[in-house]
Amino acid sequence: DDAADRVGKWLLPGNGPLLKSVEAACAASAPARVGRENPFGTEAVVLGKPNPAYARLIAEWNGIDLERAVMVGDRLDTDILMGKMAGMRSLFVLSGVDGLGQITEKH
């Protein structure tokens, strides 16, 4: 549900801004599902970062012990947050969207 992603020197809209439009389309096309519990309703469920279930599933499929794993990422609110929530260590690299200034802003 990223608001934006860095592509080269530009920030472009991520998938986050699209979620509400997808939810509205689902509600309009399947009104009987409005208000039902996920995954049977019309609300979007983010399966990617920072959802720790995503990391746990990948670890399970590949026989990875998350307590011994390291999440490497360039976004504090997706990559690093997912690593922390999934019980991994994390390594923040300065090659992407966030920089050193965002460490104090976001945490």
Side-chain angles (χ1 to χ4, degrees), residues 74-96:
D74 61 1
R75 286 189 73 133
L76 294 168
D77 57 353
T78 56
D79 306 326
I80 303 306
L81 182 58
M82 182 179 79
K84 290 173 72 175
M85 291 190 318
M88 291 185 271
R89 294 184 179 163
S90 61
L91 175 65
F92 178 50
V93 295
L94 302 174
S95 61

Side-chain angles (χ1 to χ4, degrees), residues 27-91:
S29 64
R33 291 182 175 256
V34 174
R36 290 182 66 190
E37 188 175 323
N38 284 333
F40 306 106
T42 58
E43 288 186 27
V45 177
V46 177
L47 298 176
K49 299 176 291 186
N51 187 336
Y54 182 60
R56 292 180 188 121
L57 184 61
I58 292 169
E60 181 183 322
W61 287 346
N62 294 284
I64 297 170
D65 179 359
L66 289 177
E67 292 180 1
R68 297 187 57 189
V70 177
M71 178 65 183
V72 178
D74 61 1
R75 286 189 73 133
L76 294 168
D77 57 353
T78 56
D79 306 326
I80 303 306
L81 182 58
M82 182 179 79
K84 290 173 72 175
M85 291 190 318
M88 291 185 271
R89 294 184 179 163
S90 61
L91 175 65

